[in-house]
Amino acid sequence: MATAPDQLLALPAAQIRAMSETDVPAVIEVERSSYQFPWSEGIFRDCLRVGYVCRVVVRSGELIGYGVMSSGAGEAHILNLCVRESERCRGIGRTLLEHLLARATAAGLSDAYLEVRPSNTAAIRLYQSLGFEPIGVRRGYYQAIGGREDAAVLKLALRGRRARIS
Ligand SMILES: CC(C)(COP(=O)(O)OP(=O)(O)OC[C@H]1O[C@@H](n2cnc3c(N)ncnc32)[C@H](O)[C@@H]1OP(=O)(O)O)[C@@H](O)C(=O)NCCC(=O)NCCS
């Protein structure tokens, strides 16, 4: 039987779909339990308002992950990627990121960029496994307890990638 295009292969019955305003409370709940310095509700609403690519992963009505990507000047920028803690290490983050990258590729964007805390080993492994490479450091980019933390800047060339959107 053919697989539905928006079905998440890693997790039967899970789907990726566009985020809507009504998802924001559930997004915020996952955001607050995932980051020490979470985005505010207003940031997510702004991302929706300006038309960034905002996607959620849902299973049986429960929101289990989300991602936000902006684009401009021929480049994509992955702004947020998050999976509910109890659902991690099941391929959801990878599938969601591949979905965003496929959209960027299909839109004809040339490169994807993102920032990540150098201490975020799980995220860095995921990004590097998809081909992202470190290209620099933004000094004091992130809030941190007692000061600021640098961001590693990673880049992925999108040209030549397949643009199949899952
Ligand atoms: C980063 C994050 C989105 C990964 O989501 P996930 O669904 O758990 O990731 P996946 O199961 O798809 O794993 C993909 C790859 O990431 C790496 N990875 C994921 N979790 C890892 C961990 N705990 N330790 C080491 N590597 C890990 C592995 O390379 C893995 O590939 P493998 O399964 O073949 O070994 C998730 O950990 C998360 O939401 N973290 C909190 C929010 C965050 O830090 N987001 C990134 C901000 S830049």
Side-chain angles (χ1 to χ4, degrees):
M1 195 178 74
T3 305
D6 57 352
Q7 187 165 336
L8 200 55
L9 294 175
L11 201 60
Q15 292 187 328
I16 298 174
R17 63 161 171 78
M19 185 190 296
S20 71
E21 284 276 341
T22 55
D23 292 315
V24 173
V27 167
I28 278 291
E29 184 224 319
V30 176
E31 174 82 8
R32 289 193 180 137
S33 62
S34 296
Y35 294 106
Q36 212 164 11
F37 300 96
W39 279 11
S40 67
E41 199 169 318
I43 294 179
F44 284 102
R45 294 197 191 280
D46 283 347
C47 290
L48 286 168
R49 190 174 45 78
V50 298
Y52 289 171
V53 175
C54 303
R55 291 289 179 273
V56 291
V57 184
V58 288
R59 187 193 52 212
S60 307
E62 186 193 22
L63 187 143
I64 56 176
Y66 52 88
V68 177
M69 178 178 74
S70 68
S71 63
E75 295 167 353
H77 201 142
I78 306 294
L79 301 175
N80 201 334
L81 183 81
C82 191
V83 174
R84 187 182 284 276
E85 192 168 7
S86 58
E87 302 289 344
R88 290 183 193 157
C89 300
R90 298 178 185 189
I92 298 168
R94 182 192 298 281
T95 306
L96 183 54
L97 182 55
E98 283 177 339
H99 174 92
L100 295 174
L101 295 173
R103 293 194 72 87
T105 306
L109 304 179
S110 57
D111 300 292
Y113 292 86
L114 57 82
E115 283 84 22
V116 60
R117 292 181 193 260
S119 56
N120 194 344
T121 316
I124 290 171
R125 287 207 184 145
L126 165 59
Y127 300 145
Q128 291 191 325
S129 75
L130 286 176
F132 277 90
E133 292 179 348
I135 56 158
V137 172
R138 290 196 207 283
R139 298 275 170 220
Y141 183 82
Y142 289 114
Q143 268 185 282
I145 290 178
R148 310 287 302 177
E149 182 178 355
D150 294 345
V153 184
L154 274 59
K155 174 184 172 181
L156 174 71
L158 296 173
R159 291 228 164 91
R161 284 177 64 89
R162 262 192 332 143
R164 193 177 68 85
I165 298 172
S166 58

